[in-house]
Amino acid sequence: MIEIKNLGKTYHIGNIPVYAVKDVSFKVKKGEFLGLTGKSGAGKSTLLYQMGLIDQPSHGEVIIDGIQTSNLTPEQRSQMRLNTLGYIFQDYALLPDLTAAENIALPLIMQGTSYKIALAKAYEKLQLVNLQGRKDNLPSELSGGEQQRVAICRAIVTNPKILFADEPTANLDTENGLNILQIFTKLHKMGQTIVMISHEAEYIKFVDRVITLKDGLIIKS
Ligand SMILES: Nc1ncnc2c1ncn2[C@@H]1O[C@H](COP(=O)(O)OP(=O)(O)OP(=O)(O)O)[C@@H](O)[C@H]1O
Ligand SMILES: [Mg+2]
């Protein structure tokens, strides 16, 4: 599903290079639930951004579903992000003026689905995470755990081939964190390919395989 070959990302602060990811190669199989772990600053988020086509690597290749992504135009990259990839971040990133159901419907509307059908599909996803009673609530009326469940619905409503999650439980207490991981497990059992960053051992045990990064390199996989 994803192949990463000799990937590296160097940031520059003024003239000083920061080698965030140095040289990383691995594959993610279809349907796999992969965990990325490692200490703060190890390069986890940087690697996820390159894999998720949010950013472009300094060198190396990201091949998604057989497509060599470095050959894509910016327009093709954004189409791929919208149509085949899903993202979940630690801060939920919901739009404050839209209801829960509207937030979830938005990617479908951007794809050209009518408002009515998009809202109906959003409601189906809310049922999957047990939030059907909160469809008309604004994000500010929801708890952190509930907002993250809405963010998961938004990420999966387009049936992405790959779901990327960067520390999805970082702002949640243990109970809500476990609830999010149970939802991920349910999606995984339904065949969803997932790449999740976590540095908490209690959450990393839910995944099929763990890759550990240190100083921009894989030290364990
Ligand atoms: N935009 C940027 N410009 C310059 N340096 C950056 C930038 N983003 C990240 N870095 C640096 O790259 C390195 C890897 O950062 P990254 O955010 O990938 O780590 P991480 O493993 O996700 O850490 P955390 O667990 O704290 O989220 C760090 O040294 C960081 O300071
Ligand atoms: Mg990070």
Side-chain angles (χ1 to χ4, degrees), residues 11-196:
Y11 295 111
H12 292 274
I13 302 176
N15 288 331
I16 302 164
V18 179
Y19 301 101
V21 174
K22 289 172 184 157
D23 183 10
V24 166
S25 301
F26 61 96
K27 289 181 187 173
V28 186
K29 290 198 199 94
K30 189 171 190 293
E32 190 170 27
F33 187 0
L34 178 76
L36 289 178
T37 194
K39 293 202 175 116
S40 183
K44 305 180 295 295
S45 296
T46 303
L47 175 58
L48 192 97
Y49 296 160
Q50 318 307 312
M51 292 173 79
L53 309 188
I54 294 171
D55 194 9
Q56 284 190 297
S58 308
H59 60 82
E61 297 170 28
V62 178
I63 301 161
I64 297 180
D65 215 12
I67 297 167
Q68 172 59 267
T69 61
S70 60
N71 294 335
L72 300 176
T73 63
E75 173 62 21
Q76 287 171 323
R77 284 169 69 88
S78 54
Q79 283 302 317
M80 199 160 176
R81 283 196 298 268
L82 175 65
N83 297 323
T84 61
L85 307 175
Y87 309 92
I88 297 162
F89 300 101
Q90 66 183 53
D91 61 359
Y92 327 128
L94 300 173
L95 295 178
D97 298 329
L98 299 185
T99 65
E102 287 170 338
N103 263 285
I104 300 165
L106 197 58
L108 293 174
I109 292 168
M110 286 166 70
Q111 287 180 335
T113 306
S114 73
Y115 181 82
K116 201 174 157 198
I117 292 174
L119 270 200
K121 290 196 173 168
Y123 187 68
E124 273 173 33
K125 297 299 173 203
L126 280 168
Q127 287 173 306
L128 188 76
V129 301
N130 240 334
L131 277 181
Q132 56 275 21
R134 310 295 248 139
K135 71 178 171 63
D136 295 324
N137 286 95
L138 294 173
S140 60
E141 297 163 343
L142 301 173
S143 73
E146 288 167 345
Q147 287 185 58
Q148 191 60 302
R149 278 144 70 195
V150 172
I152 292 173
C153 292
R154 179 183 55 186
I156 61 169
V157 76
T158 53
N159 295 319
K161 288 185 175 161
I162 308 154
L163 182 61
F164 294 101
D166 190 350
E167 307 238 18
T169 58
N171 291 328
L172 302 175
D173 60 31
T174 308
E175 192 185 329
N176 278 300
L178 286 174
N179 184 261
I180 295 300
L181 263 295
Q182 278 154 6
I183 293 169
F184 277 30
T185 303
K186 188 159 145 185
L187 296 173
H188 175 44
K189 286 193 177 139
M190 291 160 73
Q192 180 70 57
T193 308
I194 307 174
V195 179
M196 179 186 76

